[in-house]
């Protein structure tokens, strides 16, 4: 005897029957589906209200019969006379008792059609009568067609009562049918309500109206261990934060490991981050987290990120530790790197970076301090000074710039004030001033401005550009105003990180005075350079003014038979690819002028933004190089007209010369140099004749010694150039080529198997090993790690890991990880599970397996207990 199936129709609403009504259509649809499986269908109109629907019903191939004390005759007809015909048997009234039902055997062998509201809903959802209790208990849920439609899309043929209730919860919450997704939605809704009120969210009120709240809290107890006499979303979230935070310091926790995994997932969700942050702040206040953190060592907190207060605690402690030098630079870098994985890192990134750079600066200064004060330096040549600067000392300028930039971007001047004062003092007095004083002694003794074998700026075209032309290769030259050597070093690294790009960096010695007009002129093809004998400071190249792109184009065209051009970077970036290619095709040499750093630094109102301008410059130059290569430029040179000195503090009187420059004629005056004739000797100024500096004419030049400034009304004084310090006169020359084949790889990562390949507890400790240090061409790899069953179900927390370690020590490239198992892991006991490292498929939300390692799950029942 086949299973008895029931497909009901919608109850008539009363009143006159309309043959074309929605009711008649729904009944016809339901019966049609039932006749697909059964030849004979019984319809008992228990409330005697659907006769009109029966009489109006027309079903092709189906004969309608009414049961009116004619059961025996009907039975003979449907079984003997017409055994192939489909019949709809209608009774105007309830089904007879089984003992009085002459057709009971036929009914049980075939199908029954019911038309009460519960049956209608079951019919619409294609559910068996076994689920009648669910529909009756949660009738409110089925009152809305929208909820019915949403549930219908989620249902599957093998759903249990529990799965159906879970999916009903999901519909109420507007989520996927998983408890973690449902709870995320309810928490997000709760975050938008006032914590002081007893107001319930619309989604949770719907759960209550549909009488699904008991099921919800039953699942919360079963999965997360949450148990309360008066459960609520707000109460659960407080308990969640409390347990997940304090489980790091005590064993007295009530929630399950799944709650910890849920919190990690929730806090890392971009969709719910606002709600997480709101509730995190409320719970921090309720739980007294600030008071608790006050008694914690920040090292205990490095792996925790549940509260914003944790980051504030760590940062404030790190600032004090770096200021007092009680922690090593290596440790600070490691801690900052660990915090990058945290939820609040984006908010505090600049503070973390500033502290890291401060620690690096102090450590490097302690190593290098005194090198420029060694007695042997008295006999060093200009070349030796430049060599030592470009080998290591420039890094102090770079670290100071990065520290200052991140402090400014953090907006937390008060928090950083003590450490900032230390770095400013060390940079200005222990490095910049000492180095400037010693180098000045060498510059004073030099008969001419030359640091061979370091190339002079005026030889740039002859030594760097013409070799390309001799091989009939085109070349593009990018000149970034005031891009000093240390910024060029960072640009070198950024270029090398790009796929198929190679780059080399070497220093050059800029002209003196180190100002824009002279530096730009020296980079052009030239035989003679002369400063104009007037008050403009203009520089003549072979007698031709070099001021502006029009004059520079004339100079290039004269040297290149018309196949050279100068253009501003903004103008070039506005060209489309075809226009860019046409420009390169028409010229053998293209000079592109970029001005971001000097544009900001040379103005009193914006000089404080010099380091922000340096960061912008790096990004703009990378984009400019890519635009050039897209226009078929294969050979690119990047250099600068001069460098600069910058101190991010208000200068003292001692930073300025007490006496002003004097002479027969003062033609041009700046903060770091003076042009004139008959200039008088001064203790604080060094005088150069034009010939000493490789210039034609009889203009004399004076520059303040060391890092001192000349007073100049209406001008800034923190950002300066024109003098002879290494920061001003050592400029980068970067040679860039585009390769045909990829040359960038991602660093390899291995899973180190321990002595035991079995999982016997609720956690798994694993060591991941980064095989090589990260370099420009071996780049960081980002992986997602977790434990999975053979069926692909995640049974642990999931970690997103960035492998970007640069240490040459293999031990320092090991990463210790701990995976917390979920309750679902119990179902895999006795089976193999997989530790899987996955990598994001570029440009998509999908992941592909990178590497994996198998373990045998063998957990004893005793692992469920805390001893």
């Amino acid at each position: 005897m086949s299973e008895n199936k029931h497909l009901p129709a919608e109850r008539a609403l009363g009143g006159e029957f309309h043959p074309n009504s929605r009711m008649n259509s729904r009944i016809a649809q339901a019966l049609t589906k039932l006749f697909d499986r059964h030849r004979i269908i019984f319809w008992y109109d228990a409330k005697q209200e659907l006769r009109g629907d029966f009489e109006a019903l027309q079903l092709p191939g189906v004969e309608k019969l009414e049961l009116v004390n004619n059961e025996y005759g009907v039975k003979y007809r449907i079984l003997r006379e017409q055994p192939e015909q489909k019949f709809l048997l209608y009774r105007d009234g309830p089904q007879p008792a089984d003992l009085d039902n002459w057709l009971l055997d036929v009914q049980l062998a075939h199908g029954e059609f019911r038309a009460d509201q519960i049956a209608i809903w079951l019919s619409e959802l294609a559910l068996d009568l076994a689920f009648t209790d669910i529909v009756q208990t949660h009738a409110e849920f089925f009152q809305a067609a929208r909820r019915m439609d949403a549930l219908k899309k989620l249902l599957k043929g093998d759903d249990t009562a529990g799965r159906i209730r879970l999916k009903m919860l999901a519909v109420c919450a507007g989520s996927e049918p998983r408890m973690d997704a449902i709870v995320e939605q309810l928490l997000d809704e709760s975050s938008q309500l006032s914590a002081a009120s007893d107001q319930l969210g619309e989604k949770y009120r719907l759960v209550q109206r549909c009488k699904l709240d008991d099921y919800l809290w039953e699942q919360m107890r079963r999965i997360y261990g949450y148990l309360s006499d008066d459960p609520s979303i707000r109460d659960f979230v407080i308990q969640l934060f409390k347990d997940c935070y304090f489980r790091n310091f005590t064993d007295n926790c009530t929630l399950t490991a799944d709650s910890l995994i849920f919190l990690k997932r929730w806090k890392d969700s971009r969709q719910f981050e606002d709600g997480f942050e709101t509730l995190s702040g409320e719970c921090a206040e309720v739980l007294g987290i600030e008071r608790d953190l006050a008694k914690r060592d920040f090292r205990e907190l490095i792996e925790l990120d549940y509260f914003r207060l944790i980051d504030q605690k760590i940062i404030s402690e790190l600032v004090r530790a770096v200021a007092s030098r009680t922690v090593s630079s290596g440790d600070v870098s490691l801690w900052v790197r660990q915090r990058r994985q945290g939820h609040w890192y984006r908010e505090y990134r600049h503070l973390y970076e500033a502290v890291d750079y401060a620690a690096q600066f102090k450590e490097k200064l302690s190593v290098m301090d005194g090198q420029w004060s060694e007695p042997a330096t008295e006999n060093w040549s200009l070349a030796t000074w430049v060599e030592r600067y470009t080998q290591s000392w420039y890094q102090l300028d770079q670290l100071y710039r990065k520290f200052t930039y991140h402090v400014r971007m953090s907006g937390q001047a008060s928090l950083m004030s003590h450490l900032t004062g230390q770095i400013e003092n060390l940079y200005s007095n222990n490095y910049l001033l000492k180095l400037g004083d010693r180098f000045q002694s060498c510059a004073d003794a030099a008969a001419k401005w030359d640091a061979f074998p370091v190339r002079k700026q005026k030889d740039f075209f002859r030594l760097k550009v013409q070799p390309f032309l001799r091989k009939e290769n085109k070349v593009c030259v990018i000149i970034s105003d005031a891009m000093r050597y240390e910024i060029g070093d960072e640009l070198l690294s950024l270029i090398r990180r790009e796929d198929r790009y190679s780059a080399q960096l070497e220093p050059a010695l800029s002209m003196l005075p180190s100002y824009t007009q002279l530096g730009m002129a020296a980079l052009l093809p030239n035989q003679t350079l002369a400063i104009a004998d007037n008050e403009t400071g203009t520089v003549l190249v072979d007698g031709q003014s070099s001021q502006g792109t029009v004059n520079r184009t004339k100079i290039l065209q004269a040297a290149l038979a018309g196949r050279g051009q100068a253009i501003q970077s903004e103008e070039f970036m506005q060209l489309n690819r075809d226009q860019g290619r046409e420009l390169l095709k028409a010229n053998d040499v293209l000079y592109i002028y970029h001005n971001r750093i000097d544009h900001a630094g040379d103005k009193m109102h914006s000089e404080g933004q010099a380091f922000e301008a340096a960061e912008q410059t790096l990004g703009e130059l990378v984009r400019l190089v890519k635009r050039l290569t897209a226009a078929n430029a294969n050979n690119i040179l990047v250099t600068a007209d001069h460098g600069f000195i910058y101190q991010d503090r208000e200068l003292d009187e001692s930073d300025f010369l007490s006496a002003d420059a004097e002479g027969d004629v003062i033609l041009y005056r700046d903060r770091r140099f003076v042009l004139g004739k008959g200039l008088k000797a001064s203790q604080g100024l060094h005088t150069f004749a034009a010939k000493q500096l490789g210039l034609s004419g009889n203009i004399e030049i004076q520059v303040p010694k060391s890092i001192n400034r000349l007073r100049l009304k209406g001008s800034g004084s923190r950002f300066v150039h024109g003098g002879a310090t290494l920061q001003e006169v050592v400029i980068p020359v970067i040679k860039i080529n585009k390769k045909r084949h990829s040359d960038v790889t991602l660093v390899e990562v291995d899973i180190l198997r321990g002595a035991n390949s079995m999982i016997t507890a609720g956690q798994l400790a694993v060591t991941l090993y980064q095989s090589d240090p990260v370099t420009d061409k071996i780049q960081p790899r980002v992986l997602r790690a977790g434990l999975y069953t053979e069926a692909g179900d995640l049974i642990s927390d999931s970690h997103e890991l960035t492998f970007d370690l640069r240490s040459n020590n293999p031990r320092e490239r090991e990463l210790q990880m701990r995976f917390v198992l979920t309750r679902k892991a119990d179902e895999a006991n006795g089976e193999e599970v997989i530790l899987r490292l996955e990598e994001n498929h570029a440009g998509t939300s999908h992941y592909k397996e990178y590497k994996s390692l198998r373990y045998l799950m063998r957990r004893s029942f005793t692992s469920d207990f805390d001893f």
Side-chain angles (χ1 to χ4, degrees):
M1 193 172 293
S2 66
E3 181 185 4
N4 188 14
K5 302 294 182 181
H6 308 273
L7 275 176
E10 189 171 18
R11 180 191 305 274
L13 300 180
E16 184 181 354
F17 171 72
H18 298 281
N20 297 321
S21 69
R22 180 171 178 264
M23 168 61 77
N24 191 261
S25 174
R26 298 291 288 275
I27 291 175
Q29 289 176 11
L31 284 168
T32 299
K33 288 181 181 179
L34 197 53
F35 274 115
D36 287 339
R37 291 178 285 164
H38 302 285
R39 184 174 70 89
I40 302 170
I41 304 297
F42 288 78
W43 179 0
Y44 296 106
D45 186 5
K47 296 185 178 182
Q48 299 178 316
E49 57 186 7
L50 298 176
R51 173 175 288 280
D53 295 271
F54 171 71
E55 292 176 350
L57 192 65
Q58 297 293 328
L59 295 175
V62 176
E63 186 173 341
K64 300 187 297 180
L65 297 176
E66 183 175 358
L67 300 176
V68 188
N69 298 319
N70 57 350
E71 286 84 351
Y72 184 77
V74 168
K75 187 173 187 178
Y76 183 80
R77 180 179 177 183
I78 64 178
L79 296 181
R80 295 291 184 178
E81 294 181 346
Q82 296 175 277
E84 303 297 327
Q85 176 66 41
K86 293 182 177 181
F87 289 97
L88 174 61
L89 308 182
Y90 172 81
R91 180 183 178 90
D92 189 18
Q95 177 179 332
D98 288 350
L99 292 177
D100 299 326
N101 191 349
W102 289 63
L103 296 174
L104 181 61
D105 56 338
V106 179
Q107 179 180 327
L108 293 175
H110 292 81
E112 180 185 350
F113 176 67
R114 297 181 60 183
D116 60 87
Q117 186 63 71
I118 299 299
I120 291 171
W121 289 332
L122 288 170
S123 172
E124 289 187 25
L125 297 171
L127 290 176
D128 190 273
L129 283 175
F131 298 108
T132 299
D133 286 346
I134 289 181
V135 178
Q136 288 178 332
T137 303
H138 310 291
E140 175 71 19
F141 177 90
F142 302 96
Q143 296 289 348
R146 180 181 57 81
R147 292 196 291 271
M148 288 281 286
D149 291 341
L151 180 60
K152 191 183 302 183
K153 293 176 183 177
L154 297 175
L155 291 177
K156 294 181 180 179
D158 60 350
D159 279 336
T160 62
R163 290 293 300 169
I164 292 174
R165 283 191 171 93
L166 180 68
K167 291 176 179 181
M168 292 165 64
L169 262 182
V171 171
C172 292
S175 74
E176 297 178 36
R178 302 190 322 271
M179 274 304 297
D180 57 353
I182 292 167
V183 176
E184 282 176 336
Q185 287 286 355
L186 295 177
L187 289 175
D188 192 63
E189 179 181 59
S190 180
S191 71
Q192 300 171 38
L193 305 173
S194 171
S197 73
D198 294 329
Q199 184 182 4
L200 298 177
E202 185 62 36
K203 292 177 180 178
Y204 185 70
R205 286 206 303 271
L206 178 59
V207 169
Q208 287 185 321
R209 290 204 315 271
C210 295
K211 298 183 178 179
L212 286 163
D213 47 331
D214 285 345
Y215 176 79
L216 169 67
W217 298 120
E218 177 188 336
Q219 297 307 303
M220 296 289 276
R221 178 196 58 77
R222 185 177 67 86
I223 297 173
Y224 302 124
Y226 173 67
L227 186 61
S228 172
D229 293 334
D230 186 20
S232 70
I233 297 297
R234 222 51 172 224
D235 183 66
F236 167 72
V237 78
I238 293 172
Q239 189 65 42
L240 177 69
F241 276 104
K242 178 182 178 181
D243 261 50
C244 291
Y245 173 74
F246 284 104
R247 73 168 56 234
N248 296 277
F249 315 113
T250 179
D251 294 329
N252 187 24
C253 296
T254 60
L255 300 186
T256 65
D258 286 60
S259 67
L260 174 61
I261 294 168
F262 168 77
L263 182 58
K264 289 183 177 181
R265 167 192 158 88
W266 178 38
K267 72 179 176 60
D268 292 337
S269 167
R270 289 291 179 87
Q271 180 182 355
F272 299 112
E273 65 178 343
D274 290 343
F276 166 78
E277 291 177 4
T278 297
L279 293 175
S280 170
E282 291 178 9
C283 291
E285 186 173 348
V286 172
L287 297 171
I289 297 300
E290 185 173 1
R291 292 191 303 275
D292 185 79
L293 288 172
K295 65 184 180 184
R296 306 281 179 196
D297 186 292
F298 74 90
R299 295 167 184 81
E300 296 180 271
L301 309 169
I302 293 299
E303 295 183 2
L304 306 183
D305 65 341
Y306 309 131
F307 304 105
R308 179 183 276 107
L309 288 169
I310 294 175
D311 285 81
Q312 294 174 355
K313 163 77 174 182
I314 291 173
I315 290 168
S316 61
E317 291 295 324
L318 278 177
V319 169
R320 282 193 283 271
V322 171
S324 61
R325 301 190 183 187
T326 56
V327 291
S328 71
S329 172
D331 283 342
V332 173
S333 293
L334 177 61
W335 292 327
V336 169
R337 179 179 169 278
Q338 288 176 289
R339 295 308 294 172
R340 285 181 192 149
Q341 311 298 327
H343 177 86
W344 311 94
Y345 179 76
R346 282 176 296 164
E347 183 174 337
Y348 295 107
R349 178 178 74 88
H350 291 295
L351 287 172
Y352 280 117
E353 294 291 332
V355 172
D356 192 8
Y357 283 120
Q360 292 182 55
F361 177 87
K362 284 190 167 188
E363 184 170 284
K364 284 194 181 296
L365 182 61
S366 66
V367 172
M368 298 176 185
D369 191 20
Q371 292 180 359
W372 38 80
S373 301
E374 297 171 1
T377 60
E378 296 178 1
N379 299 318
W380 283 3
S381 65
L382 288 174
T384 303
W385 281 98
V386 172
E387 178 186 14
R388 294 294 293 272
Y389 178 75
T390 57
Q391 283 177 346
S392 59
W393 297 344
Y394 76 91
Q395 294 173 7
L396 290 169
D397 294 306
Q398 192 175 79
L399 291 170
Y400 171 74
R401 171 173 62 84
K402 302 295 278 188
F403 167 78
T404 303
Y405 166 75
H406 286 291
V407 170
R408 288 177 63 88
M409 294 302 292
S410 75
Q412 296 290 335
S414 297
L415 170 67
M416 300 295 290
S417 60
H418 181 58
L419 183 57
T420 298
Q422 281 191 347
I423 299 297
E424 289 290 348
N425 182 61
L426 290 170
Y427 179 74
S428 294
N429 299 322
N430 290 35
Y431 169 63
L432 203 60
L433 180 60
K434 287 183 179 179
L435 180 62
D437 287 346
R438 299 297 289 187
F439 180 66
Q440 186 65 51
S441 299
C442 179
D444 289 347
K448 61 179 180 177
W449 188 244
D450 189 1
F452 186 83
V454 177
R455 299 302 186 177
K456 292 185 287 188
Q457 189 178 40
K458 66 178 297 185
D459 294 329
F460 172 80
F461 189 88
R462 177 174 63 85
L463 297 177
K464 298 300 179 183
V465 177
Q466 283 187 332
F468 288 106
L469 301 178
R470 283 195 290 269
K471 296 178 181 179
E472 297 184 348
N473 292 327
K474 296 176 181 288
V475 60
C476 296
V477 178
I478 300 172
I479 303 169
S480 186
D481 204 325
M483 185 182 70
R484 66 184 183 183
Y485 185 82
E486 57 91 2
I487 300 173
D489 173 78
E490 186 173 353
L491 177 63
L492 174 76
S493 180
L494 294 174
I495 294 293
R496 282 178 170 173
R497 292 177 198 175
E498 296 292 333
D499 194 20
R500 297 192 295 149
Y501 284 85
S502 64
Q504 297 82 41
L505 168 66
E506 62 180 74
L509 185 69
S510 82
M511 300 296 291
L512 264 186
S514 52
Y515 75 115
T516 298
Q517 289 93 323
L518 182 54
M520 294 296 186
L523 294 168
L524 292 164
N526 66 85
Q527 297 296 321
T528 62
L529 297 173
I531 298 174
D533 192 358
N534 56 41
E535 297 180 353
T536 64
T538 300
V539 179
L540 307 178
V541 176
D542 302 334
Q544 162 78 43
S545 172
S546 61
Q547 188 77 17
T549 53
V550 173
N551 286 323
R552 292 167 191 170
T553 294
K554 291 178 181 177
I555 294 169
L556 286 169
Q557 290 183 339
L560 297 163
R563 293 191 54 83
Q565 185 170 338
I567 187 174
Q568 294 294 321
S569 62
E570 294 91 342
E571 184 180 350
F572 179 81
M573 291 297 285
Q574 290 174 0
L575 302 178
N576 60 36
R577 180 177 294 189
D578 290 339
Q579 291 171 329
R581 289 177 175 176
E582 287 300 318
L583 180 63
L584 265 65
K585 191 181 298 183
N587 294 282
D588 294 329
V589 177
L590 182 67
Y591 270 45
I592 302 176
Y593 293 95
H594 176 271
N595 185 8
R596 176 70 66 186
I597 301 171
D598 204 62
H599 181 74
D602 260 350
K603 298 179 178 64
M604 185 167 61
H605 71 275
S606 62
E607 67 172 352
Q609 300 168 16
F611 287 168
E612 287 94 317
E615 291 291 324
Q616 294 168 0
T617 289
L618 291 167
E620 290 173 1
L621 292 181
V622 171
R623 290 192 290 273
L624 180 54
V625 167
K626 288 183 174 181
R627 181 66 65 87
L628 283 168
T629 56
N632 293 333
N634 294 317
N635 305 300
I636 302 171
L637 296 170
V638 184
T639 189
D641 51 349
H642 56 77
F644 63 89
I645 300 172
Y646 180 81
Q647 293 163 275
D648 194 50
R649 62 176 176 82
E650 294 300 323
L651 300 183
D652 301 325
E653 279 296 316
S654 60
D655 293 304
F656 295 90
L657 291 180
S658 56
D660 203 358
E662 297 179 353
D664 297 339
V665 177
I666 302 294
L667 295 172
Y668 191 92
R669 186 192 306 269
D670 207 327
R671 289 160 296 180
R672 287 285 288 163
F673 69 97
V674 175
L675 305 177
K677 296 180 180 178
L679 298 178
K680 294 183 179 180
S682 171
Q683 185 177 359
L685 295 163
H686 184 79
T687 306
F688 293 93
K691 187 176 180 180
Q692 284 181 282
L693 302 177
L695 298 171
S696 300
N698 58 359
I699 299 293
E700 293 177 343
I701 298 96
Q702 280 188 339
V703 297
K705 294 184 178 182
S706 188
I707 63 172
N708 291 316
R709 279 87 159 158
L710 289 163
R711 295 189 182 279
L712 191 65
K713 189 175 181 180
S715 175
S717 56
R718 290 183 289 166
F719 177 97
V720 293
H721 59 86
T725 63
L726 289 163
Q727 290 82 2
E728 294 169 286
V729 301
V730 179
I731 58 172
V733 177
I734 305 173
K735 180 181 178 181
I736 302 171
N737 296 103
K738 183 75 178 289
K739 298 181 178 181
R740 293 184 180 273
H741 303 290
S742 176
D743 64 347
V744 168
T745 60
L746 298 180
V747 72
E748 293 294 327
V749 177
D750 295 314
I751 308 171
L752 301 184
R753 183 186 283 281
N756 196 344
S757 61
M758 288 193 297
I759 300 175
T760 59
Q763 299 182 2
L764 174 66
V766 175
T767 300
L768 303 177
Y769 174 64
Q770 181 182 306
S771 60
D772 296 290
V774 164
T775 64
D776 292 336
K777 292 300 182 184
I778 302 177
Q779 297 189 353
R781 188 184 289 271
V782 179
L783 297 172
R784 186 175 70 179
L787 277 165
Y788 294 83
T789 64
E790 288 277 11
D793 295 325
L794 180 65
I795 57 171
S796 74
D797 52 345
S798 180
H799 299 269
E800 185 167 290
L801 308 170
T802 301
F803 294 89
D804 58 357
L805 297 167
R806 295 180 176 271
S807 173
N808 289 313
N809 184 345
R811 278 290 185 187
E812 294 179 357
R813 298 199 303 273
E814 292 183 0
L815 181 64
Q816 308 295 327
M817 288 303 305
R818 183 180 61 184
F819 295 90
V820 180
L821 300 182
T822 67
R823 180 181 47 82
K824 196 174 182 66
D826 294 338
E827 300 173 14
N829 205 18
E831 300 175 5
E832 279 197 334
V833 296
I834 306 162
L835 173 61
R836 188 180 298 157
L837 303 183
E838 296 177 310
E839 195 164 29
N840 179 253
H841 189 62
T844 74
S845 60
H846 298 282
Y847 282 79
K848 56 186 177 182
E849 184 174 303
Y850 170 67
K851 285 183 181 176
S852 64
L853 191 63
R854 290 177 174 269
Y855 290 85
L856 179 62
M857 183 74 72
R858 186 161 290 173
R859 296 180 64 195
S860 166
F861 69 89
T862 58
S863 64
D864 296 328
F865 294 85
D866 294 323
F867 294 101

